[in-house]
Amino acid sequence: MIPGRFEYHAATDVDDAVRLLAEHGADGKLLAGGHSLLPMMKLRFAEPAHIIDINGIADLRGIREQGKALVIGPMTTESAIIDSELLQRRCPVLPEAAQLIADPQVRNRGTIGGDALHGDPGNDHPAVLMALDAEFVIRGRKGERSESVDGFYVGPYLTALDDGELVTAIRIPTPAEGHGYAYCKFKRKTGDYATAATCCLLEMEGDTCRRVRLTLTNVGPTPLRATDAEALLTGSEPTAERIEQAAQAAMSICNPAEDLRGSPEYKTHMAGEMTRRAIHKALDRARRG
Amino acid sequence: MAKHAITLNINGQQMDVAVDSRELLIHTLRDRLRLTGAHIGCETSHCGACTVDIDGASVKSCTVLALQAQGADIRTVEGLAGSEGLHPIQEGFFEEHGLQCGFCTPGMLLRAWRLLQDNPNPTEDEIRHGMAGNLCRCTGYQNIIRAVQHASEKMQSGETAAAE
Ligand SMILES: Cc1cc2nc3c(=O)[nH]c(=O)nc-3n(C[C@H](O)[C@H](O)[C@H](O)COP(=O)(O)OP(=O)(O)OC[C@H]3O[C@@H](n4cnc5c(N)ncnc54)[C@H](O)[C@@H]3O)c2cc1C
Ligand code: FES
Ligand code: FES
């Protein structure tokens, strides 16, 4: 199995990539780690006439702290996310999620940008970035804009990104010191996409939950934010009863497709269980400081 | 479409080769350069039989364009054994029966080699997680874990001996 024919362009910098995208329009496709795009091209699910390789653009890699935000280059690999001392300290949920993606070889090539922008509901980073209130910094011919991750995903493989645009950075407001976090993912085997997964981030003030984010992976056409479940926990003590209500509220918004990973009922059930576990784990971590 | 000229540094040897844009690295290695050690198992990025080392990292060469490896340092299974004979990792697989049909073995060896470069003394758990991208249909993995442990011990004692 090999991809169909295409013309290969190695973009030298962001301006060059924008120019190549503008030139080739809908026929052009950016190549990041290639671990979603190349498999799709082998299967002819994607047949771009022009491949614009952005691996040579050093500006698109790296993780840094800028004021009250963490700025991650979209070409940063999963392995680099896992190894980042800065993220382990400031935003440990990202390395935790990256560690649950695919396998070591795939993580050496796959990038956070490719994962977040591919639009497969099975990708893990979208829900995590949504929980983190992250935004994409986007460049196109008309200049720069940014889009909140919450609301960015329209449907499977459909996002708010236009053909001529690329993401140049992912900006994450630095999570509060001592926040609780968890990404709980249920998968059939190592290297598999989620049957269901939940990201929970929370901030405690004594026994009260000051702020909560709950988002879900692969139980709908896009990542889902469980706002009702969040509201149930916000401003109150997270008792066993409230946590159960929140898990039920999260299950009520699930709308997974039936596939080899199971029936919609089963996946919804697992989303509930992942939500319970994620809340408990995040609470435990917040309490331990 | 015109071919592209690229240079690959494979097992310490510079190789110039002309490739198609859509050509996957595994095909360049096997079909053009006759380095048939790396295998094609699944072709879908799952099995790891095609694993080679590119610029210090294990990569599935069925999921990289040859063009993307321009200028890269690549190591394949052909580059493991030295003039003194089998590499300790190969010896480990031999001694511990880490293979049966051997189809997955070149990928296993290259992945284990990188794992031990990065972490010379891994725990059993670290070996299992580190080797998670390589599938084997024969052995049931237990002997593969032992083979990596064997290699780890051998390589470390080799280093101590060299230092003494
Ligand atoms: C065996 C296997 C198991 C996997 N398991 C998981 C898993 O458990 N969880 C998971 O989340 N993923 C999984 N993946 C997918 C993997 O993480 C991919 O690497 C990831 O989805 C895509 O990232 P990439 O860098 O490889 O992007 P590519 O495949 O190169 O690109 C993906 C898409 O994003 C677009 N794109 C890339 N960068 C930009 C940018 N800067 N701006 C605009 N568009 C851009 C590309 O044009 C393309 O359409 C798995 C893959 C394999 C092969
Ligand atoms: S042939 Fe490359 S992963 Fe199976
Ligand atoms: S030895 Fe046969 S597949 Fe591993």
Side-chain angles (χ1 to χ4, degrees), chain A residues 160-177:
Chain A
L161 204 66
D162 286 332
D163 279 338
E165 294 182 319
L166 85 155
V167 166
T168 54
I170 299 166
R171 285 180 70 88
I172 300 169
T174 308
E177 200 80 43

Side-chain angles (χ1 to χ4, degrees), chain B residues 93 97-105 108 135-141 144:
Chain B
F93 274 72
H97 302 284
L99 64 146
Q100 288 176 27
C101 79
F103 197 85
C104 68
T105 314
M108 289 284 178
L135 302 182
C136 175
R137 300 278 90 154
C138 301
T139 62
Y141 300 102
I144 291 177

